[in-house]
Amino acid sequence: MNEIGAFIIEKSAVGVFVFIVLLTIVAYATLGERKIAGFFQDRHGPNRAGPWGLLQVVADGVKFFMKEEFNPDRANKVLFIIAPTFTFMAAGFLMAVIPFGDRMIIGGREVLLQLADINIGILYILAIGSLGVYGIITGGWASNNKYSLMGGLRSSSQMISYEIAMGLAIVALILDHGSFSLRDIVLNQTGPIWNWSVFTHPIGFLIFLVATFAEASRVPFDLPEAENEIVAGYHTEYSAMKFGLFMFGEYVHMTLASGLIATLYFGGWSIPFVATPAEPGIFWGLLTFGVFWAKTLFFMFVFMWVRWTLPRFRYDQLMNLGWKRLIPLGLLNIFVMALILLWTGGAGMD
Amino acid sequence: MDAQTIVFAILALISLFSGIMVVTRKNPVHSILFLVLMFFCFAGFYVMLGATFLAAIQVLVYAGAIMVLFLFVVMMLNLRDPEALEGGTSFFQTLGFVVAIGFGIVLLAFLAGKPGPGVPTFPPGEAAYALGDAKSLGQELFHNYVFPFEIAGILLLAAVIGAVALAKRERV
């Protein structure tokens, strides 16, 4: 019983710690997005609330709660209210398997900075990622608005198309690393910097990056909410905190997707050329935690960089890219990777 | 009452509840969402049995892909007023009810007197985990069952080609 109690306390502590850091970073990502937009458009961005606009996040939160809650006439009320929570939950569930840091020893007990190191980690990510569409599609349908419905339909077909490309990129990665566990994949990338998967899987990385943009519905793949065609897409009818949850869920998704890119292709929490010490203390744990977030923040910046640089795709271009370019490229990538592994005898061969 | 019994009971109750909701809801979108919930519970059962790979595939393929397609089709058909479907019981509804009752009786008669499989142990132990993960599943498929596996692959390929041929057929 003592062991179980300690386990529950450990996982709860890690979970709460990671969740607070995640939510803080996500909240400030909404500010960072506008600051970066300002930078790209040669203006200041929000700078009225607090020094450098740092209190803008609080102001936004208060605003979301104070605005009028509006339910459209003849909308499906239950689904209309529950849909934003679907989006938020599906994004938040991704947190469970991402390795935020290395193991550390606190008071003689080994603590892993990861909620669950399960042997199907990558499949879990794909499975939960495929659920994110439910919030958007039910929200779009329940609004009883044709623009919302169009947004929901676009989203579902887009997600299904790009999920396949993402899965193909990951299959090549699994072939190389010989494990589904995200911690194993990070451990395989420790050591010299050329151990990072991005150097061994450049094409896979490209496919994964593009598919991630599509899965997170970010520009240039934000067709579900293309405002010049379908008003605001699936969240046209949403207001106040219900809209806030949709937006927040989208940022959580973007943050964790960036974390996933860092984990799978850029070594996760590992520091190039630095090995884990024999007695990793709390300092080492927090250091790896910081390294993970540094890499993640960089990819969040890339997400925003692309958003304020590229125009949106047309719908047929989106489908052509997904089905006629990325999927054949992904299959070719797997084939070449399998040939190379057969030649050299990789990690999965035994 | 140990932990696995409680988890099993919760999952079983939710899956039974959502199963009943699937067939009784008038609105097809509600039915689909309850079916997704039921698939989640099934994934939970698979995890309890140690079949972690199957659990992930269950969520990935059934809840994540096939049900989204269902939802897509239902929304495209856009059944404008599900309440309008209400009315007297048709012949087929009565038939379906009778068949379901009959099947239930046969099932109960078959299961009566047999020792139940009992509640799966949780955690299932090393042996069950070793059987259920991706590696051992792959080894079974590609060593012992490679012929059925290839046959299934050819069947799927034929279905894909058939779908493409149907979609590309010239309209007359």
Side-chain angles (χ1 to χ4, degrees), chain A residues 89-230:
Chain A
M89 280 195 319
F93 278 170
L94 287 177
M95 192 181 89
V97 294
I98 291 182
F100 290 95
D102 199 4
R103 66 197 176 87
M104 53 191 180
I105 292 170
I106 299 174
R109 187 181 168 78
E110 189 177 298
V111 176
L112 194 63
L113 266 173
Q114 180 183 8
L115 288 180
D117 177 28
I118 50 178
N119 62 357
I120 50 161
I122 289 192
L123 287 174
Y124 176 89
I125 295 273
L126 282 175
I128 298 299
S130 68
L131 295 178
V133 68
Y134 279 109
I136 294 176
I137 195 169
T138 51
W141 181 80
S143 299
N144 191 27
N145 175 324
K146 56 180 175 256
Y147 296 117
S148 300
L149 182 65
M150 281 301 295
L153 290 179
R154 281 184 174 195
S155 171
S156 62
S157 52
Q158 173 178 327
M159 293 258 185
I160 287 181
S161 310
Y162 281 80
E163 216 167 70
I164 301 172
M166 187 187 248
L168 290 177
I170 285 180
V171 166
L173 196 75
I174 297 168
L175 278 181
D176 188 12
H177 290 297
S179 174
F180 284 106
S181 154
L182 288 167
R183 182 168 161 79
D184 286 353
I185 288 174
V186 172
L187 288 176
N188 273 345
Q189 296 179 69
T190 50
I193 194 166
W194 51 86
N195 275 359
W196 286 3
S197 308
V198 67
F199 298 113
T200 43
H201 295 261
I203 297 174
F205 167 65
L206 207 64
I207 299 169
F208 188 81
L209 187 71
V210 173
T212 306
F213 271 85
E215 288 268 303
S217 294
R218 294 282 300 185
V219 177
F221 299 102
D222 66 335
L223 284 111
E225 46 181 303
E227 68 270 11
N228 49 2
E229 300 162 22
I230 49 174

Side-chain angles (χ1 to χ4, degrees), chain A residues 254-267:
Chain A
M254 186 186 82
T255 307
L256 291 176
S258 307
L260 204 58
I261 294 173
T263 301
L264 293 180
Y265 289 97
F266 289 85

Side-chain angles (χ1 to χ4, degrees), chain A residues 76 79 86 119-120 123-124 126-128 130-131 133-134 137-138 141 149 153-154 156-157 160 163 180 350, chain B residues 27 29-30 33 36 40 52-53 56-57 59-60 63-65 67-69 71-72 75-76 78 133-135 139:
Chain A
N76 191 317
L79 287 183
F86 281 171
N119 62 357
I120 50 161
L123 287 174
Y124 176 89
L126 282 175
I128 298 299
S130 68
L131 295 178
V133 68
Y134 279 109
I137 195 169
T138 51
W141 181 80
L149 182 65
L153 290 179
R154 281 184 174 195
S156 62
S157 52
I160 287 181
E163 216 167 70
F180 284 106
D350 52 20
Chain B
N27 192 329
V29 174
H30 292 185
L33 289 176
V36 173
F40 258 110
T52 47
F53 182 77
I57 293 298
V59 176
L60 180 61
M67 293 327 285
V68 173
L69 271 183
L71 211 54
F72 193 82
M75 286 177 183
M76 287 295 264
N78 202 6
D133 72 354
K135 190 169 183 174
Q139 262 160 359

